[in-house]
């Protein structure tokens, strides 16, 4: 009996030291301290971009913006989405059917108890929103649901 208990304890201890529990922090091209981000960003932008928060639906003026141009990261000015890929999803957040390849990074978000595909700026790591498979079927079928406060719009000249 003692050997069985010892074996079980050994297994538990080794499992607690697995690589699955070691998380590496990704280093981005634009990296700042928490204090620098708080100085640069508004309180709401910091909440969304640095703490992976979500703005209220229908609160962003960019949701109904249909001018030609490019949507860039509000934290580091990296171009993320082109206006030609924007559509009205009715969700309350700016939506796009595709990103500018290489400028958006993807990860997993399990905060709600199920897995969602999360999007980040590939340059600074700022949280943008999530991507879903319920977008326009005549294009990519994707809906990049993005927090407007995570974006700035640069109109076409």
């Amino acid at each position: 009996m003692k050997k069985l208990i010892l074996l079980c304890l050994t297994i538990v201890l080794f499992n607690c030291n697995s690589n699955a529990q070691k998380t590496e922090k990704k280093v981005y091209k634009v990296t700042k301290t928490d204090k620098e981000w708080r100085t640069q960003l508004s309180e709401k932008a910091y909440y969304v971009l640095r703490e992976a928060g979500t703005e209220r639906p229908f609160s962003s003026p960019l949701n109904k913006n249909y001018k030609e141009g490019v949507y860039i990261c509000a934290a580091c000015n990296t171009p993320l989405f082109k206006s030609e890929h924007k559509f009205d999803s009715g969700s309350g957040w700016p939506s796009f059917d595709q990103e500018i390849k290489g400028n958006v990074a993807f990860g997993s978000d399990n905060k709600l108890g199920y897995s969602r595909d999360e999007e980040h700026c590939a340059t600074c790591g700022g949280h943008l929103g999530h991507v879903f498979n319920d977008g326009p079927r005549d294009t990519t079928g994707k809906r990049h649901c993005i927090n407007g406060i995570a974006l700035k719009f640069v109109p076409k000249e």
Side-chain angles (χ1 to χ4, degrees), residues 67-79:
K67 297 174 186 165
E68 286 187 56
V70 177
Y71 294 84
I72 65 174
C73 177
C76 71
N77 298 325
T78 296

Side-chain angles (χ1 to χ4, degrees), residues 26-31 37 48-52 73 75-76 103 105 118-128:
K26 183 168 171 35
V27 178
Y28 294 94
K29 184 177 176 181
V30 173
T31 303
W37 284 123
V48 170
L49 285 158
R50 307 315 311 167
E51 296 180 332
C73 177
C76 71
N103 292 357
E118 188 173 20
E119 296 185 71
H120 300 279
C121 173
T123 304
C124 72
H127 171 77
L128 303 172

Side-chain angles (χ1 to χ4, degrees), residues 17-138:
N17 290 325
S18 73
N19 287 334
Q21 296 199 5
K22 296 176 185 172
T23 56
E24 291 182 28
K25 188 159 179 132
K26 183 168 171 35
V27 178
Y28 294 94
K29 184 177 176 181
V30 173
T31 303
K32 298 182 181 189
T33 65
D34 186 59
K35 184 177 179 181
E36 289 170 324
W37 284 123
R38 285 185 186 276
T39 301
Q40 176 186 334
L41 302 169
S42 70
E43 189 175 323
K44 286 181 183 179
Y46 180 88
Y47 169 68
V48 170
L49 285 158
R50 307 315 311 167
E51 296 180 332
T54 302
E55 68 187 3
R56 286 187 350 265
F58 303 102
S59 65
S60 172
L62 293 180
N63 186 39
K64 295 292 183 181
N65 178 40
Y66 297 107
K67 297 174 186 165
E68 286 187 56
V70 177
Y71 294 84
I72 65 174
C73 177
C76 71
N77 298 325
T78 296
L80 302 170
F81 301 95
K82 294 179 182 177
S83 61
E84 64 203 59
H85 299 291
K86 189 172 188 295
F87 68 97
D88 186 359
S89 67
S91 66
W93 290 278
S95 298
F96 305 86
D97 66 355
Q98 64 184 325
E99 77 283 6
I100 296 175
K101 300 287 185 220
N103 292 357
V104 175
F106 300 90
S108 293
D109 170 7
N110 297 302
K111 289 183 202 168
L112 297 179
Y114 60 92
S115 185
R116 297 184 295 170
D117 293 327
E118 188 173 20
E119 296 185 71
H120 300 279
C121 173
T123 304
C124 72
H127 171 77
L128 303 172
H130 296 86
V131 63
F132 303 97
N133 291 317
D134 60 1
R137 295 288 169 219
D138 59 334

